[in-house]
Each structure stands twice: as C-alpha cells, then as structure tokens.
C-alpha cells in the first residue's frame, strides 16, 4: 500500500483550495461582465428613448413648422426608387416588355416626362418598328388606355408591368408614364396640378396622334386615381374631350382621409404635429386630390375596383367615393363598384392577378358601348 504523508495531504488540500478560489474569481468576473453589459444596455436604451422623445416632441414638430413642404414628400414618395444605375427605363425590354417603345414628351416648362407605349398583344408578332408605333395609334383602331400609377417608384414596378401585359392582351394600346420628378422624368412634383398637367398633356397628344374616332380610356391606381379623376374632369369640362370610361383601382375619397388612414399614420397619428404635416403641405401646394368632388362632374362611366384586404387605402375609402358618386345627376352614366374578397389576398396592388378581371372589364365595356 502507498502511504500518503502529511505533506502530500497538505499540498493536495492547497491545490483544491486554489482551484476553488480560482473558480470563485472566474464566477465573480463573469458576473461583473454580465452586470456591466446590462448597465451598458440600460444606458443605451435610456439614451434611445430620450432621443425618440426629443425627436417626436421637439425636432419633428419644429421641422414641420419650419419646412411645411416636407409633407408633399410623404404624399408623393417620388424619391423612393431604385437608382438609375440599377434600372434603364429607356429599355422596356429589360422589364419584360418586348413590344414596348420608350419615348419622351414635354408637358410643361422645363418638364419632360418619360413614357412607354405597349402594343396590343394582337400586334406583337407583326414586326413593327418603334418608328411606326405612333402611326399605329390611328391605323389599327385598337383602343388606347392611359395608365396613371400610384406614388413611389416608377412605371417599371413589377405589379404595374403585369397590368400592362394584361391590358395589352385585351387589345389595348397601353400608355404608361412617370409624372414629373418620378423615374427619368424631369421636374419636381409640387402642386397636384403639375401632375395633372402631365396626364392631360399626354392624353391630348395621344388624341392628336390617334384621331377623333379611336376610343380612349383612363386608368388610375392609388394616388393615380386622384390624378386620373381630376385630369378627366379637366378634359371633359375644359377641352370637351370625353374618354370612353374611367377605371379607378384602389381609390380614395380624398387625400387627407387616405393619409390619416395610412399604416404610417397609425403609428404617428396620435402626435399633435402629424396632422399639420399633411395639412400644411395640402394648403401650401394645393394637394387635395378630391376624388369625391371631381367624380360628381365627370359625365362618364366609372368602374371602381377595391380589395377588402387593402391596408394601404382601406376599402372604406373606396366605398365613400362610390357613395359620393350616387349623388351625380341621374342622366350621368353609371358608376360600378367591384369588391374583391379578402380571402383572395389582392391587398393594395395585386388586383391584376384576379383571373376574372378580363371578364369584369369586358362586361363593363359591353355595358357602356
């Protein structure tokens, strides 16, 4: 048997004590680091909260008062777009539109807008050159549809391109464009009348090229419903020019109600300065987009389409517009409201994917012709 001396026992005991001490030191050091991290996170969280309070209750309202024009950027969102490096709007084929010509049109002083002309699908295989597209507006007698897009991004956005393709398959010449300050169009969107001028000028240019007998239609989506509705009112009242019909996809009754019910407003709407952000912009730049007023003066058939699960412009605003239209003179053509159930999942911008949409449009057009 091995004999353990007293010295060996003492050394072993010392080693165990040292290990225990080292463990306690490490445990204390780890605990200190955790406490230090928690204190750091607490300080940073307090700093962030203080900054948010300072921003929301001091800096933001002060900025709104000093720069009332800021509100228009929240309405138009024209700055929200991919840099030109990533998209070549002069080449529609790069967005999947092969029978489409890019062109530019001067609509106002120092304003040139970019636009696309997509041929009816029935003409795709005929080998027409871009130089012939203008003459085809009159020669082929296919109807022409002017599309006014919503805020943010450009005429190349995927859901817009998908709708062009659908409308072209139904036999329309589809003319899409970017308002001033959007995409590759020059100028800046300020007063709503500037954007309306872009739409009106393009429409009249198309009428000049097509001649008086080719049927023309106007389609507006989201913010574009405000542009389209006011443009059509101007055309009918001031120029005695009557499109065959007006299509309104995901419309609102007026821009203020649309802004107040926007998801962004649900977050910041309780702040006292938030209303001023839009009210100041509306009064400063005349941005009212009162569809519920203009529709009363448009002696045209109107088709309103809205999805129940639209969270950007709730269907209740589309219904308010529809109800307002019921006060139009009895002699005016009908306003039709078509609702898409929330189970379909079309939300704000996917109505184009409804399989029954061609039939909806076809039945509407049959009813007015």
């Amino acid at each position: 048997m091995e004999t353990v001396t007293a010295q060996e026992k003492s050394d072993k005991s010392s080693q165990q004590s040292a290990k225990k001490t080292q463990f306690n030191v490490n445990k204390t050091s780890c605990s200190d680091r955790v406490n230090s991290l928690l204190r750091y996170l607490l300080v940073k969280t307090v700093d962030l909260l203080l900054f948010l309070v300072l921003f929301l209750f001091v800096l933001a309202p002060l900025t709104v008062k000093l720069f009332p024009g800021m509100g228009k950027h929240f309405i138009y969102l024209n700055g929200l777009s991919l840099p030109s490096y990533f998209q070549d709007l002069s080449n529609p084929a790069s967005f999947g539109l092969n029978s489409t010509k890019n062109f530019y049109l001067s609509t106002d002083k120092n304003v040139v807008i970019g636009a696309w002309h997509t041929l009816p699908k029935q003409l795709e295989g005929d080998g027409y050159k871009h130089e012939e597209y203008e003459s085809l507006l009159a020669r082929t007698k296919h109807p022409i549809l002017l599309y006014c897009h919503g805020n943010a991004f450009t005429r190349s956005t995927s859901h817009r391109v998908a709708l062009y393709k659908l409308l072209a398959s139904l036999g329309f010449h589809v003319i899409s464009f970017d308002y001033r300050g959007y995409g590759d169009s020059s100028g800046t969107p300020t007063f709503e009348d500037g954007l309306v001028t872009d739409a009106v000028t393009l429409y009249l240019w198309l009428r000049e090229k097509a001649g008086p007998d080719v049927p023309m239609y106007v389609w507006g989506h989201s913010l574009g419903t405000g542009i389209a509705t006011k443009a059509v009112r101007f055309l009918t009242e001031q120029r005695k020019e009557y499109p065959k019909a007006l299509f309104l996809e995901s419309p609102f009754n007026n821009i203020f109600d649309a802004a107040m019910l926007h998801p962004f407003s649900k977050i910041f709407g309780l702040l006292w300065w938030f209303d001023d952000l839009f009210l100041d912009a509306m009064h400063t730049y005349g941005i009212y987009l009162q569809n519920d007023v203009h529709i009363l003066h448009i002696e045209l058939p109107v088709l309103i389409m809205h999805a129940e699960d639209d969270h950007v412009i709730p269907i209740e605003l589309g219904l308010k517009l529809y109800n307002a239209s019921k006060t139009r003179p009895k002699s005016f053509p009908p306003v039709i409201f078509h609702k898409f159930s929330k189970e379909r999942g079309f939300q704000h911008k996917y109505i184009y994917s409804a399989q029954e949409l061609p039939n909806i449009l076809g039945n509407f057009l049959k009813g007015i012709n």
Side-chain angles (χ1 to χ4, degrees), residues 292-304:
D292 49 0
V293 172
H294 299 311
I295 200 169
L296 303 180
H297 302 271
I298 297 174
E299 194 174 353
L300 298 178
V302 180
L303 175 61
I304 298 175

Side-chain angles (χ1 to χ4, degrees), residues 18 36 59 63 74 86 105 122 124 149 151 199 203 213-214 221 233 236 279-280 286 293 302 327 350 368:
S36 177
L59 296 179
T63 303
F74 288 94
F86 296 101
L105 181 70
Q122 294 82 350
E124 280 186 1
H149 70 64
N151 65 359
Y203 180 98
D213 299 326
V214 176
H221 172 244
R233 179 182 179 183
T236 57
L279 288 173
D280 288 348
V293 172
V302 180
T327 64
Y350 300 112
I368 65 175

Side-chain angles (χ1 to χ4, degrees), residues 15-35:
Q15 291 175 0
Q16 290 175 345
S17 177
K19 288 180 179 180
K20 186 175 182 180
T21 301
Q22 182 64 38
F23 174 77
N24 289 334
V25 169
N26 291 339
K27 185 177 180 181
T28 302
S29 176
C30 181
S31 177
D32 288 343
R33 286 197 294 270
V34 170
N35 289 334

Side-chain angles (χ1 to χ4, degrees), residues 77-95:
L77 293 179
N78 59 299
L80 189 59
S81 179
L82 290 173
S84 58
Y85 176 81
F86 296 101
Q87 57 178 356
D88 182 8
L89 293 172
S90 67
N91 181 20
S94 65
F95 301 96

Side-chain angles (χ1 to χ4, degrees), residues 309-346:
D309 59 338
D310 189 334
H311 302 299
V312 177
I313 298 178
I315 192 172
E316 65 186 86
L317 298 187
L319 287 169
K320 282 186 176 181
L321 176 61
Y322 176 59
N323 289 330
S325 73
K326 293 178 180 179
T327 64
R328 302 194 327 164
K330 300 296 184 182
S331 60
F332 277 25
V335 175
I336 306 297
F337 187 94
H338 190 91
K339 175 178 65 177
F340 296 89
S341 67
K342 60 185 178 182
E343 289 77 18
R344 308 291 296 281
F346 295 147

Side-chain angles (χ1 to χ4, degrees), residues 120-350:
K121 188 174 181 64
Q122 294 82 350
L123 303 180
E124 280 186 1
D126 294 340
Y128 291 111
K129 298 180 180 179
H130 284 177
E131 296 77 25
E132 300 177 87
Y133 277 33
E134 280 185 24
S135 64
L136 291 175
L137 293 171
R139 284 165 46 196
T140 62
K141 302 301 181 181
H142 282 271
I144 300 169
L145 186 144
L146 178 63
Y147 178 81
C148 301
H149 70 64
N151 65 359
F153 300 104
T154 70
R155 62 190 184 275
S156 68
T157 306
S158 59
H159 71 273
R160 295 166 186 164
V161 170
L163 180 63
Y164 310 157
K165 292 179 178 179
L166 172 67
L167 294 171
S169 73
L170 298 178
F172 289 98
H173 288 278
V174 182
I175 311 298
S176 54
F177 70 102
D178 281 313
Y179 315 107
R180 59 188 66 194
Y182 287 80
D184 55 353
S185 298
S186 63
T188 302
T190 50
F191 297 91
E192 70 176 51
D193 284 344
L195 281 69
V196 172
T197 295
D198 295 338
V200 167
T201 304
L202 180 52
Y203 180 98
L204 293 175
W205 180 86
L206 291 167
R207 173 56 74 200
E208 179 185 350
K209 299 299 179 181
D213 299 326
V214 176
M216 292 182 60
Y217 300 85
V218 178
W219 184 302
H221 172 244
S222 192
L223 178 82
T225 64
I227 306 303
T229 304
K230 189 169 184 178
V232 169
R233 179 182 179 183
F234 177 87
L235 287 166
T236 57
E237 290 186 341
Q238 304 298 322
R239 301 303 294 266
K240 304 305 176 185
E241 171 64 43
Y242 294 88
K244 292 286 289 183
L246 173 63
F247 299 95
L248 299 177
E249 177 190 0
S250 307
F252 47 81
N253 54 331
N254 60 70
I255 194 62
F256 183 75
D257 283 358
M260 291 303 101
L261 289 180
H262 193 276
F264 189 76
S265 302
K266 294 178 181 178
I267 302 174
F268 299 104
L270 296 177
L271 299 171
W272 81 90
W273 53 266
F274 189 73
D275 286 6
D276 291 341
L277 179 68
F278 294 98
L279 288 173
D280 288 348
M282 288 166 59
H283 295 316
T284 302
Y285 293 101
I287 306 173
Y288 300 104
L289 298 176
Q290 296 172 304
N291 289 341
D292 49 0
V293 172
H294 299 311
I295 200 169
L296 303 180
H297 302 271
I298 297 174
E299 194 174 353
L300 298 178
V302 180
L303 175 61
I304 298 175
M305 295 167 285
H306 219 129
E308 286 184 327
D309 59 338
D310 189 334
H311 302 299
V312 177
I313 298 178
I315 192 172
E316 65 186 86
L317 298 187
L319 287 169
K320 282 186 176 181
L321 176 61
Y322 176 59
N323 289 330
S325 73
K326 293 178 180 179
T327 64
R328 302 194 327 164
K330 300 296 184 182
S331 60
F332 277 25
V335 175
I336 306 297
F337 187 94
H338 190 91
K339 175 178 65 177
F340 296 89
S341 67
K342 60 185 178 182
E343 289 77 18
R344 308 291 296 281
F346 295 147
Q347 301 178 28
H348 184 60
K349 57 186 181 182
Y350 300 112

Side-chain angles (χ1 to χ4, degrees), residues 170 172 217 245 247 301-303 334 336 338 355-369:
L170 298 178
F172 289 98
Y217 300 85
F247 299 95
V302 180
L303 175 61
I336 306 297
H338 190 91
Q355 292 183 346
E356 71 273 27
L357 184 57
N359 287 334
I360 292 171
L361 299 178
N363 292 333
F364 174 73
L365 294 176
K366 288 178 183 177
I368 65 175
N369 289 326

